[in-house]
Amino acid sequence: MFALRDDPGIWSLDDVSITDKSGNELLSNGDFEQGYLASWIYCNPSNGTYGGYVGTGSSYDGSYSYLDGVVGASDYLSQTFTVTPYSNYSITFWLSTNSNSNSATFAQIYVTS
């Protein structure tokens, strides 16, 4: 799960990947190239303005990325997948912001089983 907040900037998240030891991808639409949040769960529990969406212009690779400029609170993006106990996984992602030094910028990444 990604918890993001950037007042007044925008986070760009792209190329989220979780692979098992054989290289099998466990996430769906981790590159957001479907153009919307297919397979992702979006939550904005505080109804912060400028919440997350899939858009163009700030991707690492391809046309689309997840863009999030929520103000006043964090919002959340997550996806569930099946794992095998006691196995190792590779987790990678690209995360960038256009914030300045006067902004309230928070990014927390949670991995739980």
Side-chain angles (χ1 to χ4, degrees):
M1 176 173 55
F2 293 87
L4 304 170
R5 176 181 174 180
D6 199 349
D7 304 352
I10 295 176
W11 284 111
S12 299
L13 175 66
D14 203 7
D15 294 345
V16 182
S17 175
I18 300 177
T19 56
D20 64 16
K21 63 183 175 183
S22 298
N24 298 312
E25 180 61 54
L26 303 179
L27 296 182
S28 298
N29 194 30
D31 58 5
F32 303 101
E33 290 303 309
Q34 291 185 18
Y36 61 100
L37 288 175
S39 302
W40 290 95
I41 301 164
Y42 174 75
C43 181
N44 186 348
S46 298
N47 294 317
T49 57
Y50 305 107
Y53 63 97
V54 174
T56 60
S58 295
S59 65
Y60 177 73
D61 188 27
S63 298
Y64 295 95
S65 65
Y66 175 75
L67 304 169
D68 197 323
V70 70
V71 174
S74 294
D75 56 2
Y76 305 88
L77 187 66
S78 64
Q79 193 171 138
T80 59
F81 52 92
T82 303
V83 298
T84 303
Y86 308 107
S87 294
N88 292 320
Y89 298 90
S90 173
I91 302 170
T92 60
F93 55 90
W94 179 81
L95 183 64
S96 179
T97 185
N98 65 357
S99 291
N100 61 44
S101 61
N102 296 325
S103 65
T105 304
F106 306 96
Q108 296 177 315
I109 293 89
Y110 302 93
V111 179
T112 62
S113 60

